[in-house]
Amino acid sequence: ATGDGVVAITAGVGSRAINDLVAETVVFTLSECCGSGFALGSTQDIIFDPGPLDHFVVSGITDPTNAGTAVGISVLARDQFNNTQTFFTGDVVLTSDDVAATLPTPVTFVAGDNGFKSLPASVIFRTTGTWFVRGELSTDATKFGVQTNIDVAPGPLDHFDLTSVNDPHNAGTAQ
């Protein structure tokens, strides 16, 4: 916090601006200085809450991962100074450039979430490649976050198909 210094008290009233970029509790102490004769001291906790929602942090997706494998994702609401926006409530819509991916949407934040949602085993990429997942506020596309460069490899062999087989077929003849 900034704002320390001498507070001039006139007719029993004084003021001092205090600024803080971190959402935290700061101890403010007022005591006698400079032989003023001020006889009392006082300490007060001042709580700095986070600012309004500025963006999201989308993270936690295992990288690399395999197509068809369920992986977790986390979404964190932040203010302009990167403090967790603990009072955020609303819906975050998740999208990916892997158009075949399965994503939880919307992600609904309620008061008890404190600006953080963790969704285990909730994202499934279906296509090999390098992808992103973007989370944006459902009511304001300028409030978003992205996890990028997620490498997706082929999943394990699930099955294979035989085609162009004549049935019945004579033993000893090529097809």
Side-chain angles (χ1 to χ4, degrees), residues 52-71:
L53 178 69
D54 182 71
H55 64 280
F56 296 99
V57 175
V58 176
S59 63
I61 297 174
T62 304
D63 181 22
T65 191
N66 291 326
T69 302
V71 294

Side-chain angles (χ1 to χ4, degrees), residues 6-161:
V6 176
V7 177
I9 299 176
T10 305
V13 177
S15 67
R16 184 67 167 171
I18 301 173
N19 298 309
D20 200 345
L21 303 181
V22 178
E24 63 183 344
T25 300
V26 176
V27 176
F28 177 76
T29 303
L30 181 64
S31 59
E32 191 277 332
C33 170
C34 313
S36 67
F38 182 71
L40 298 175
S42 178
T43 299
Q44 178 68 44
D45 289 344
I46 300 173
I47 299 171
F48 289 89
D49 287 331
L53 178 69
D54 182 71
H55 64 280
F56 296 99
V57 175
V58 176
S59 63
I61 297 174
T62 304
D63 181 22
T65 191
N66 291 326
T69 302
V71 294
I73 187 171
S74 298
V75 182
L76 180 64
R78 295 287 182 130
D79 71 8
Q80 67 177 341
F81 302 111
N82 261 346
N83 296 301
T84 300
Q85 213 302 332
T86 54
F87 303 112
F88 172 70
T89 58
D91 290 334
V92 176
V93 177
L94 298 177
T95 58
S96 175
D97 53 346
D98 175 1
V99 296
T102 301
L103 302 166
T105 191
V107 177
T108 300
F109 284 75
V110 296
D113 291 331
N114 295 314
F116 178 75
K117 292 290 267 191
S118 178
L119 306 163
S122 59
V123 174
I124 303 173
F125 292 98
R126 306 280 182 196
T127 312
T128 60
T130 301
W131 308 111
F132 68 78
V133 173
R134 174 186 168 108
E136 75 179 41
L137 184 60
S138 63
T139 57
D140 183 351
T142 67
K143 312 291 187 201
F144 69 91
V146 183
Q147 182 173 341
T148 61
N149 299 318
I150 304 163
D151 293 316
V152 179
L157 179 63
D158 178 65
H159 68 279
F160 59 93
D161 294 322

